[in-house]
Amino acid sequence: MNAASVLAQGNHAGVVITFFAVFVVGLLLISLLDASETDTPRRFFVSGRRLSSARNGIALFGDFISAATLLGTPGLIALAGFDGIPYLLGPIVAWAVILLLIAEPFHNTGRYTVGDVLAHHLRPRPVHMALGLATLVISLLYLTAQLVGAGALAAPLLGISGVVAQNFLMLFLGVLMIIYVAISGMHGATLVQCFKAAFLLVASAFLALLVLARFGWNPSDLLGAAADRSGVGERFLAPGARSQGGTADKLDGLSLQLAAVLGAAGLPHLLLRLGAVPTARAARRSVQWTAVLTCVFCVTAGVLGFGAAAVLGPAEVMNGNTSGNTATLLLSDSLGGSVLLTVMSCVAFATILAVVAGVALAAATSMAHDIYGVVIRKGRATESQEVLVARVSAVLIGSAATALALWASRVNVSFAAGLAFAVAASAVLPALLYGLYWRGFTTTGAVWSIYGGLICSVALAVLSPAVSGTPTALFPDMDFAVFPLKYPSIVSIPLGFVLGWLGSVLSRDKPHPAARAAFERRVLAGSDTS
């Protein structure tokens, strides 16, 4: 029996709906009370740069942890054992990269977007245009993944089935996202993220404690029981226990891990939040808060994964979902009954809402500031115009993402999310790192890097087995898969860095020494002292 059947039989779908409705209505009311007709871009995009490091760090954690992480990672560990551990380490390494290389210099040089960082010493319009387009592609991919996952998860948990029901839920969440972002901006998104983060940590930690109590608070007994029920014995706790496939599958796994580790440092909604605190030191502390919370959550997710293997066994986990995505919910029902299952279902819904709000806000910010404010209006847009365009953009982007989710409801959620990370790591991260640390970086190098990484990652994904040529592909009846890997990161990320270097070396527009020197002083001091 799967988690959906338990909810339906226990008549707890109504409880889930009621709880989630109260949560949504409460947050919307708070947003309406806090909304202002005179919002400035600074307040709407980055909450006036007045958030504390602790609050922003908690919200940043809420922005980062998606429902796929909450449900998918424990399920992967329950099925693959030790081979699932790298998926826990990836987020921790990602925050180390952001902390050491990006947090403080980005805050010191950025206003809202990555384009603001590069515009200090490069030609503004080309880099803002390129990064604006890259942000829209990343955001649409990530939003589509979240909405498709929401429909697939929510419909059975609410005791309904069928494509129409899933589409209705995707449409509902899409409309909710549009309303929430258009009304409240960063301030409201922060409220959602903080609530979601606290709810997520408390609920998952409580479930992990139940797992440990089941095995006498002895992690060794927990791992031993997981190995015994795995069907492969002690090999479950060693690399390669369930390794299948050939070289292509191994390269696919490596490519996905590379995107997970490096892509987070280029995700627009995470970078936007680095500017919501008053100082660079506070930005660094925000990331430290997020890194600590991520470590806590990853440990908890590991306990849940091995707990699902020990309590349920891989066979029962796969019976609920072949990818293991319902392992956490099945474990909740086994240890805490339908009440705990209901709580974890509500956590999953809150997680989805929080993530889509943050991503949609970043996309709206880029549309209003990068494309409209800098490219179209050439920096002459008023503050009220930028906020209005941001709100209209939230409606347009949310509608587009919802339409894509309805059309591509067959798409694999992990593939869409992994592609978003791959585009961020291939198109945004190389330009950002070069712009911060290489004196020879030029506008041509930035444009080559951004467009090259974007086009390469998307093109290879379209030509991959995830889109055509396999029964589970988006177009199963067609076959134009000439690239053997599902995830393009292993090719597109190095290409993004190479193109950035090559474009800078070959370009005729050389860096202006004075502008670069002023930029470096700003990176170090947080202000232009020239």
Side-chain angles (χ1 to χ4, degrees), residues 361-393:
L361 176 62
T365 299
S366 185
M367 178 71 81
H369 181 67
D370 288 328
I371 297 178
Y372 176 77
V374 177
V375 177
I376 296 177
R377 293 300 306 275
K378 301 179 181 179
R380 295 193 294 266
T382 64
E383 290 189 342
S384 60
Q385 286 174 337
E386 278 203 15
V387 174
L388 176 62
V389 171
R391 287 184 164 132
V392 173
S393 298

Side-chain angles (χ1 to χ4, degrees), residues 47 50-62 186-194 197 273 277 286 289-290 293:
S47 201
R50 294 180 178 178
L51 296 180
S52 67
S53 56
R55 186 179 179 189
N56 195 54
I58 294 170
L60 196 55
F61 169 79
M186 174 65 83
H187 190 78
T190 300
L191 177 69
V192 178
Q193 307 297 2
C194 289
R273 188 163 284 284
V277 289
S286 293
W289 270 93
T290 307
L293 294 177

